[in-house]
Amino acid sequence: HDSARDMAKAMGFSRETPVRTAKSPQTVTHLLNELFSADVPNSVRYYMTLSAFMQILVMNLSSSASQSLSDMEIDIVANAKELIELNYSNIDFTVNALPQLLHISHAQLTRIFKTKTGTTLVKYLIDVRLTHAAVLLNERNYSIRQLVDMVGFGDERNFTRHFKEKYGMTVKEYRKQSNDRRKAQRTEEHFYEL
């Protein structure tokens, strides 16, 4: 047993550090050489080397798996955002359609999205719709009904309440401010033409 303990210490194992990770590719190469050059496959040295190699392998696989999982979550969020951006104007589109489109459970999607963005899917969809409504208002004088239809909101009262929460003013006030801005731009452009 002393020789096994000595072998474990020589390979970097102890009670304090039972699992080791490869600090360099040479460590892995050395362990593989030890495995394949062992005189007796049933020796303590062989099993200690095999154990060290397996632990390094498992540690490396688990760290790359967690990295891949994080990358996968980032992709899921990006795909969810893209689907929302592509479908926000569809009145029948809700975030409930996303899990099926992304091939993920609703619970997983909502957890991942909230963790990565700090907001919920529903709030994100509402925000995208409101942002597009504001852009449309900056371009032309659309009625509330037209805006609601164009951005997929469906309900005027719900739309106006959310719009006021986001922009701190009613749609009418925002429209007036936008019109004033456009008039000022036109006046400025006309002034520079002269």
Side-chain angles (χ1 to χ4, degrees), residues 17-30:
T17 57
V19 176
R20 61 187 246 162
T21 56
K23 293 183 178 36
S24 70
Q26 290 81 12
T27 305
V28 175
T29 304
H30 172 72

Side-chain angles (χ1 to χ4, degrees), residues 40-51:
V40 182
N42 291 329
S43 70
V44 170
R45 181 180 186 89
Y46 177 82
Y47 286 111
M48 291 301 295
T49 305
L50 181 60
S51 174

Side-chain angles (χ1 to χ4, degrees), residues 97-153:
L98 291 172
Q100 184 177 6
L101 293 169
L102 295 171
H103 309 290
I104 187 171
S105 76
H106 187 272
Q108 282 180 307
L109 178 59
T110 54
R111 179 191 55 77
I112 291 168
F113 196 89
K114 175 77 173 179
T115 301
K116 296 291 182 190
T117 65
T119 190
T120 66
L121 284 161
V122 171
K123 286 181 182 176
Y124 185 81
L125 174 58
I126 289 169
D127 189 64
V128 166
R129 286 175 167 165
L130 292 172
T131 300
H132 282 281
V135 168
L136 289 168
L137 275 173
N138 286 327
E139 293 172 0
R140 278 192 43 207
N141 283 331
Y142 292 106
S143 70
I144 292 176
R145 181 75 250 156
Q146 288 173 314
L147 285 172
V148 166
D149 290 341
M150 292 169 83
V151 297
F153 237 96

